[in-house]
Amino acid sequence: MSYYSSTYDTSPRGGAPLRGSGWHRLGNALKTTVLLAGLTALVLLIGQKLGGARGLAFAGFFVVVMNFVSYWFSDRIALAMHGAQPLERSQAPWLHEMVEELAGRAGMPKPKVYLLPTHTPNAFATGRSPKHAAVAVTAGIMELLDRRELRGVLAHELAHVRNRDTLIGTVAATLAGVISYAAQMLFWFGGSLLSRSDDDEEGGLAGALSSLGVLLVAPIAATLLQLAVSRSREYGADATGAELSGDPEALASALMKLERGAQLMPYDRAPATSHLFIVNPLSGGAIMSLFSTHPPIPERVRRLQAMSARSWRPGF
């Protein structure tokens, strides 16, 4: 009997569906499709403003390439950006056993396990599908959390993989980055572009003001769309992860510890991937919290504690 099977209910679920399946997953998929369509439209709009018909065609091609790269190589890119190293079973057999048990309960293959060499306590998952997934934990989270809390964190990350959140988050981040980069190009090289006209009606002050509007609005819109993708899925992953682990209180306790740890030791090695982590690794005050890629920790904790207070149990 494993360490955690004597403490938690790890018996088969008897076919009861996890949260995030059925209509819940369909609703998330539809919402994500709309949000990603919005990001793609912004890319195309900026392309048109930068180069007219040619710019529009180039933007369309660029979006296709970015989506292809994000789909097939998102896991490798994210892990490489953080210097993640494979964590062998011999190094932490209990951790591999924990991941394997949770993956089995989720009805998915065991993902690869990686270690990030940082003392900031955090974790994230990546991969385009459950068959091509990876879970990464930092050295700091291994030191800060007990095994019960870490199990709750791993369940949350596996919920992201199961619900295809990791793929969607990577694509959204990629497109949002493209939009911001294109807007910067429009700013730095806008002298000729703002005054360019494809015909007499599009030139002059009206065309300049239109392009300037895109310059100002596009990065903000891209950020808001990215935040909507990220924030809307954290609550779902919390609920699915709590059901998967059978212990919502453990995840709630872990979130509170991780928030304090991230505040004391912020981690900004790759800000574009901050939404992948279970808690926001970046530092910021009250104003910056409005643009956080994660919903407020107190609200996430409140929801988890409410699940526990209702005598919540797996399959309930």
Side-chain angles (χ1 to χ4, degrees):
M1 180 175 294
S2 66
Y3 165 82
Y4 35 84
S5 63
S6 61
T7 307
Y8 311 101
D9 175 15
T10 59
S11 59
R13 296 179 47 80
L18 288 169
R19 295 169 189 259
S21 61
W23 290 107
H24 179 77
R25 292 184 64 185
L26 177 60
N28 279 344
L30 292 175
K31 182 189 298 185
T32 299
T33 300
V34 172
L35 292 172
L36 293 181
L39 286 170
T40 301
L42 281 174
V43 173
L44 297 177
L45 177 61
I46 293 178
Q48 193 277 332
K49 289 298 180 182
L50 285 172
R54 291 184 178 180
L56 181 62
F58 177 79
F61 173 77
F62 200 52
V63 166
V64 172
V65 172
M66 287 297 97
N67 280 324
F68 176 83
V69 171
S70 296
Y71 182 85
W72 291 104
F73 304 107
S74 61
D75 53 343
R76 303 178 195 177
I77 293 173
L79 293 168
M81 291 175 69
H82 295 281
Q85 298 296 324
L87 185 63
E88 303 298 336
R89 180 179 286 269
S90 59
Q91 296 176 274
W94 61 269
L95 182 64
H96 278 265
E97 183 184 357
M98 194 179 287
V99 173
E100 192 169 38
E101 178 259 337
L102 289 169
R105 286 171 62 81
M108 54 182 280
K110 175 181 174 291
K112 298 178 182 178
V113 182
Y114 286 80
L115 180 68
L116 272 63
T118 174
H119 291 294
T120 301
N122 225 317
F124 73 87
T126 185
R128 65 181 183 272
S129 71
K131 293 182 178 180
H132 304 86
V135 174
V137 297
T138 66
I141 200 174
M142 300 276 282
E143 300 171 355
L144 178 65
L145 302 186
D146 60 36
R147 295 192 181 186
R148 178 191 172 202
E149 293 165 336
L150 185 56
R151 184 172 180 272
V153 168
L154 291 173
H156 171 99
E157 297 304 330
L158 291 183
H160 274 310
V161 174
R162 184 179 183 276
N163 295 338
R164 307 302 197 275
D165 295 345
T166 50
L167 172 62
I168 296 303
T170 302
V171 173
T174 300
L175 291 179
V178 170
I179 293 171
S180 299
Y181 179 73
Q184 291 177 19
M185 290 179 59
L186 183 61
F187 177 81
W188 291 110
F189 303 103
S192 58
L193 292 170
L194 291 176
S195 61
R196 177 193 55 78
S197 62
D198 292 329
D199 52 53
D200 294 337
E201 295 181 357
E202 292 182 354
L205 181 61
L209 291 177
S210 176
S211 296
L212 182 60
V214 174
L215 167 65
L216 297 176
V217 173
I220 298 175
T223 300
L224 293 177
L225 287 171
Q226 184 184 0
L227 295 182
V229 171
S230 300
R231 289 192 172 201
S232 66
R233 295 189 174 274
E234 287 303 318
Y235 289 128
D238 284 345
T240 305
E243 184 176 2
L244 184 60
S245 68
D247 193 358
E249 283 287 352
L251 179 55
S253 176
L255 289 175
M256 290 187 288
K257 286 186 178 181
L258 293 176
E259 181 182 39
R260 290 193 294 270
Q263 291 172 348
L264 293 174
M265 293 180 289
Y267 178 72
D268 59 357
R269 176 163 177 167
T273 64
S274 62
H275 63 283
L276 295 179
F277 289 86
I278 187 170
V279 298
N280 192 349
L282 306 177
S283 60
I287 299 299
M288 289 303 296
S289 65
L290 297 176
F291 297 94
S292 172
T293 53
H294 296 68
I297 293 295
E299 175 59 20
R300 295 172 66 181
V301 169
R302 185 193 68 77
R303 295 189 183 198
L304 289 167
Q305 291 176 338
M307 295 171 71
S308 180
R310 294 195 300 267
S311 298
W312 184 93
R313 63 184 183 278
F316 178 70

